[in-house]
Structure formats: structure tokens, C-alpha cells
Amino acid sequence: MTHGIRFSQHGGSEVLEYVEVPTPTPSANEVLVRNQAIGMNFIDIYGREGLYPVSSFPSGLGTEAAGIIEAVGEDVQAFSPGDRVAYAQGPLGAYSQLHCLPAEFLIPLPESISFDVAAASLLKGMTVQYLLRQVHEVKAGDTILFHAAAGGVGTLACQWANALGARLIGTVSTDEKAELARSLGADAIINYTTEDVVERVKALTDNELCDVVYDSVGKDTWPVSLDCVKRRGLIVSFGNASGPVEGVNLGILNQKGSLFVTRPSLGGYADTPSRRKAMAAELFDMIERGAIDVQINQRFALSEAGKAQDALMQRRTTGATLLIP
């Protein structure tokens, strides 16, 4: 037997239970990983709440962790017991001591990358990779607005954009978060609780506005994002922290200046083993070169997953949050 988080209905953090479960057995193309560190992400909360429905109850939760392979299925040839690996996609169930998943989702973990760093950065880092390198190839001189710049994705984006020579304007909710984002390479920071984001963007850009707006907040920031992007600019809506953007009137894209908008996801870009490995390799290279310092600012025991998710939802966290089995 082993332990993991399970939930039997959608709802608040109180539906999460730390329970004893049978030890999984890998099928032909699967591996069994003993997690050493587990990444926590907003998408986990979407699953718990029902925004992204689960297939059946009781259900596991989470898709990101790093650990050591304990067993492999009979058809698995690329991995062996004892290998260090990380993963950020695949079936729910990463909130556990042991997780069984298809081998195709595994990323070999270099010795230079610790389990904690991998679990804190793989999903978020591959997200930043597709945002800055694929959805829009950020270039030196670009001006971008990044909402939630002090969060897990935002702290990586500040550093990656800085390494690319772009000017990143970030939004945050506290002065402490502003200081963190600025220390990681953000060119300018807007505290949206005390400042008018649109007016500050206009002032910071001499009314030129931004080439791209990256918005993981959703409903609350959608109107702001529309007013911060320049004519023929791009809005990348890639999250729903405040709720999904609904009822979008395409005509407003014309009215605001022939704007472009996209709603990407990691699964839409890291959709094959080769793409996953290439994206992870670029991330790991950035970490190994020192261009990215992964900010792990909260650690909770796996049994405290509900408490950890509440802290994330209440915006009491910065950088990455780990669950430790």
C-alpha cells in the first residue's frame, strides 16, 4: 500500500483526502515512479473545482512531479528502474507517493537538475517556453505585459524574457511581489491593487502599448488586456485564475485595433514525446546556464495539499509551491 490525495466530488479544498491506496502496477507501456517532489499548479485547482471535469470518482489529482523509477512495464525500453525522471503531463495522480503513467510522458532528468527544481519548473517552464518561443517568438526590443508576474509561471517568464532582451511589464498584487518580479528581470511592475494598469502601461510605453499581453488570470483581466495591446497586437489568454473568459465578442477585436487572440495550452504544444523533450531540454539549458533561477518559495507536506491550494488561490504564494511526499 501507499498514500496519495483523492477526491470524490468537485468542490473546495475540503474535498481533498489523504488516503491509503493500493500500490499501482505498471502495464506494458507504463512506468511506476516514486515521487520525490510534486509540483502544484492552478490547473490542479481547476480539476478539483470541476472547470476541467475528471473522468470518474474517486480521482487522483496533479500531473507534475519528479522522482525515481521503481518499476517498468514489459514493453518499456527507454527507461529502467533507478532512472531519475520528471513529468508534467499524463493521467491525474501526481499528488501521490507512487504514480503510474505511460512512459511517453517521462523526461529524463539530468544530474545537474534536482528533484525539487524539476518538480517546481517543468510544467511552468515548458509553459513559458511555448509562450515566449512558439506562440509568439519574443525578440529583443519587444514590449510585453505579463499578468501575475510574481507567480510560478511569471517568475520564470521575467527571467526568460530578460534573457531574450525583451522588455517585460508585470502586474502583481503587493509591493513584496513587485520587488520579487523586479529582482528577476522585469523592466517595470504595476501593482494592480493601487494603480490603474492601463494608464500605467500607456505611461510606460509612451502610449505605444504592448506587442503581446500574456494573461493567465482570465475573466478579471480580459478587459484590461484588450486595452494594453497595440494595434494588430496579440493577446495570449492561457489561464483562468479568476474564472474563464466567456461571451467574447469578436467585433471588439476589430474595435480595439484589429487584434489577435489565442487560447493555447501546454497540451497543444507539448503534444509528442519529441516536442516535450525538446522543450524540456531548452528549459534545463536555461537553468544550467544560470539564466533562470527557479524560485521555490513554499513547501508543504503532501497531506497538506488542500492548505497549499488555498494559499495559491488566496494569492499568498510567490514563485513555485511544492508538495513533498
Side-chain angles (χ1 to χ4, degrees):
M1 300 293 284
T2 185
H3 288 84
I5 295 293
R6 298 291 184 270
F7 64 112
S8 297
Q9 63 181 15
H10 294 300
S13 62
E14 71 279 356
V15 304
L16 300 182
E17 298 180 289
Y18 183 66
V19 297
E20 190 175 54
V21 294
T23 299
T25 300
S27 62
N29 295 301
E30 292 182 330
V31 295
L32 181 64
V33 179
R34 181 170 293 278
N35 292 331
Q36 302 297 305
I38 301 160
M40 191 179 73
N41 300 282
F42 249 106
I43 194 171
D44 306 338
I45 296 173
Y46 302 157
R48 187 201 75 206
E49 292 181 331
L51 179 62
Y52 297 162
V54 300
S55 58
S56 62
F57 289 119
S59 174
L61 193 63
T63 61
E64 180 183 37
I68 301 168
I69 294 180
E70 188 131 311
V72 300
E74 60 183 0
D75 292 341
V76 175
Q77 298 181 354
F79 297 97
S80 302
D83 287 352
R84 303 172 77 253
V85 294
Y87 56 91
Q89 296 171 286
L92 296 178
Y95 282 26
S96 59
Q97 294 173 331
L98 291 166
H99 185 36
C100 207
L101 71 161
E104 65 177 293
F105 293 111
L106 293 184
I107 302 293
L109 190 59
E111 289 291 340
S112 60
I113 306 294
S114 71
F115 293 120
D116 280 14
V117 166
S121 67
L122 188 57
L123 188 147
K124 302 170 189 67
M126 292 203 305
T127 296
V128 174
Q129 196 279 341
Y130 85 72
L131 291 174
L132 303 189
R133 305 285 288 144
Q134 298 189 66
V135 172
H136 172 82
E137 189 171 356
V138 172
K139 302 178 294 298
D142 282 355
T143 298
I144 65 179
L145 178 68
F146 209 99
H147 291 294
V153 173
T155 52
L156 298 181
C158 287
Q159 298 173 78
W160 207 318
N162 181 264
L164 293 171
R167 182 189 187 196
L168 185 144
I169 301 170
T171 71
V172 299
S173 59
T174 69
D175 290 340
E176 292 75 17
K177 290 183 177 183
E179 183 178 347
L180 173 63
R182 194 175 287 110
S183 73
L184 294 174
D187 185 83
I189 292 296
I190 303 169
N191 184 336
Y192 63 80
T193 65
T194 59
E195 300 176 280
D196 184 300
V197 174
V198 177
E199 291 306 313
R200 282 286 290 136
V201 166
K202 289 179 178 178
L204 289 166
T205 64
D206 292 328
N207 289 314
E208 290 291 324
L209 304 179
C210 301
D211 299 286
V212 191
V213 175
Y214 292 102
D215 190 342
S216 64
V217 179
K219 181 178 65 176
D220 289 353
T221 48
W222 172 249
V224 172
S225 296
L226 285 169
D227 286 335
C228 288
V229 65
K230 64 176 58 173
R231 183 176 296 275
R232 297 182 297 279
L234 172 66
I235 299 174
V236 184
S237 176
F238 68 100
N240 315 289
S242 66
V245 176
E246 297 177 337
V248 176
N249 176 4
L250 290 179
I252 201 166
L253 301 178
N254 172 44
Q255 296 167 20
K256 296 290 185 178
S258 297
L259 306 182
F260 294 85
V261 65
T262 183
R263 179 57 175 90
S265 68
L266 179 61
Y269 283 83
D271 57 342
T272 67
S274 61
R275 288 195 180 101
R276 277 189 284 273
K277 289 177 181 177
M279 293 165 69
E282 188 171 353
L283 168 66
F284 291 158
D285 178 65
M286 294 287 284
I287 294 171
E288 290 169 338
R289 290 193 290 110
I292 286 180
D293 177 22
V294 180
Q295 301 286 301
I296 305 172
N297 296 335
Q298 299 81 213
R299 287 178 173 85
F300 292 83
L302 176 58
S303 59
E304 297 181 308
K307 180 180 177 181
Q309 288 193 352
D310 285 343
L312 180 62
M313 289 193 68
Q314 293 162 12
R315 300 181 182 180
R316 291 187 282 111
T317 65
T318 58
T321 300
L322 291 182
L323 303 176
I324 306 301

